[in-house]
Amino acid sequence: MTQFLSHSKETARDTAGQPAVHAHDVGLTVPGHDLPIISGVSLDVRKGEFVALVGPSGSGKTTFLNIVAGLQGYTSGEVLVRGEPPRRGRPDAAYALARDALLPWRTARGNVELALQVRGMKKAERRERAQAALERVGLGDAADRYRSQLSQGMRQRVALARTLVTEPSFLLLDEPFAALDAQTRLLMQQHLLELLEQFDGTMLVVTHDIGEAITLADRVVVFSQRPGHVIKEYPVGFPRPRNAVELRAEPRFGELFEEIWSDISAEMKP
């Protein structure tokens, strides 16, 4: 069976060399709007680093993520992804949306296969890899179920398997668990933590959940109110592997949460 996310862990935490993402003084102004969406965003994400973006709603976090993904242009500054301008459809990148976006006429395995099918992989190989991906997220026995037969948490796990099945080296996640209830969200955070232990790439995640940001990331970056720009960065510092529940009992977790919330709440004041 094809091994899933099988790269060396030594490579995973290698942060030497050029940044995976380099953004300098990036802005986006949309005609007809009084304020830019983002302005003066400068941020480097090192190779192998997991970074979370937090901030008030409407601060341009998802816009910045879309710029990095090559899905959105920008009007000033510079963005480089692995030394190149952003472009959509990079084979080494995967983007997971807030909603699961599963195709209801495909089974769980069929949905996971889709990215491999688009790349022209032969049916037998993509079926094998999709099954392996589902097993990694604990859904090997649900491969033949359709979207309507899956719980919300199971759908998100299928979406996660679909995101990771191409073995990307760069993960972009936009509120991947926002639609889930609190308990399921915590379980999914633990699932992702376990998968990230085998992931040798770089992750950039947008979330409104401060606890989630601290749990998943090596560094939390706080955006200002619109026009969005980086106002503060917090190294998280917790060793890996991590447990999503046990981490919340750490005094430093509470301290980080309060400091980040203080920054965000100050931005939200009129």
Side-chain angles (χ1 to χ4, degrees):
M1 180 174 286
T2 303
Q3 190 174 357
F4 183 52
L5 296 178
S6 57
H7 307 294
S8 163
K9 203 49 187 157
E10 290 301 315
T11 305
R13 312 316 299 165
D14 174 19
T15 57
Q18 69 180 10
V21 176
H22 170 70
H24 176 68
D25 202 24
V26 180
L28 173 61
T29 300
V30 178
H33 289 255
D34 294 335
L35 288 175
I37 297 175
I38 58 175
S39 177
V41 175
S42 293
L43 175 66
D44 280 356
V45 180
R46 300 185 300 273
K47 179 183 176 183
E49 187 179 24
F50 304 156
V51 172
L53 307 181
V54 299
S57 295
S59 60
K61 303 179 298 297
T62 294
T63 296
F64 179 73
L65 200 69
N66 288 337
I67 289 172
V68 172
L71 302 176
Q72 170 69 60
Y74 53 99
T75 51
S76 61
E78 178 185 50
V79 181
L80 297 175
V81 179
R82 291 190 157 189
E84 303 173 346
R87 69 179 191 275
R88 68 173 67 206
R90 292 179 64 111
D92 59 344
Y95 195 144
L97 302 171
R99 61 189 186 281
D100 60 67
L102 300 184
L103 301 177
W105 60 87
R106 280 181 173 253
T107 62
R109 183 169 49 237
N111 270 282
V112 177
E113 283 185 49
L114 185 58
L116 302 175
Q117 184 177 350
V118 168
R119 297 185 182 194
M121 184 176 290
K122 292 182 179 179
K123 184 175 181 179
E125 183 179 358
R126 70 175 187 252
R127 183 181 180 89
E128 179 183 3
R129 287 184 59 171
Q131 183 65 37
L134 286 169
E135 289 172 3
R136 290 296 302 171
V137 298
L139 290 177
D141 59 352
D144 294 321
R145 296 187 195 177
Y146 291 89
R147 187 181 187 277
S148 61
Q149 298 171 306
L150 301 171
S151 69
Q152 200 169 39
M154 293 169 77
R155 292 173 192 171
Q156 289 298 136
R157 279 191 278 165
V158 173
L160 188 58
R162 180 184 58 191
T163 300
L164 296 172
V165 72
T166 57
E167 298 190 359
S169 57
F170 191 29
L171 276 180
L172 299 167
L173 308 178
D174 184 17
E175 292 279 4
F177 309 136
L180 302 179
D181 63 80
Q183 291 178 347
T184 306
R185 185 168 187 153
L186 193 58
L187 288 172
M188 286 301 301
Q189 289 171 12
Q190 184 59 39
H191 249 310
L192 183 54
L193 279 174
E194 292 167 2
L195 288 170
L196 290 176
E197 283 305 305
Q198 305 166 59
F199 178 58
D200 72 343
T202 305
M203 180 182 75
L204 189 58
V205 58
V206 167
T207 178
H208 284 94
D209 185 328
I210 298 172
E212 182 169 271
I214 297 169
T215 298
L216 297 177
D218 299 322
R219 180 163 48 116
V220 178
V221 174
V222 183
F223 267 48
S224 72
Q225 187 58 274
R226 182 174 177 177
H229 59 276
V230 176
I231 58 170
K232 204 155 186 182
E233 302 182 15
Y234 291 90
V236 173
F238 292 117
R240 300 182 188 273
R242 297 176 183 174
N243 182 288
V245 175
E246 293 175 0
L247 205 61
R248 283 160 168 73
E250 294 286 339
R252 181 56 181 155
F253 186 98
E255 293 169 4
L256 272 173
F257 191 105
E258 290 183 7
E259 290 171 16
I260 295 168
W261 170 244
S262 176
D263 290 335
I264 294 174
S265 60
E267 287 295 312
M268 295 169 65
K269 290 179 180 178

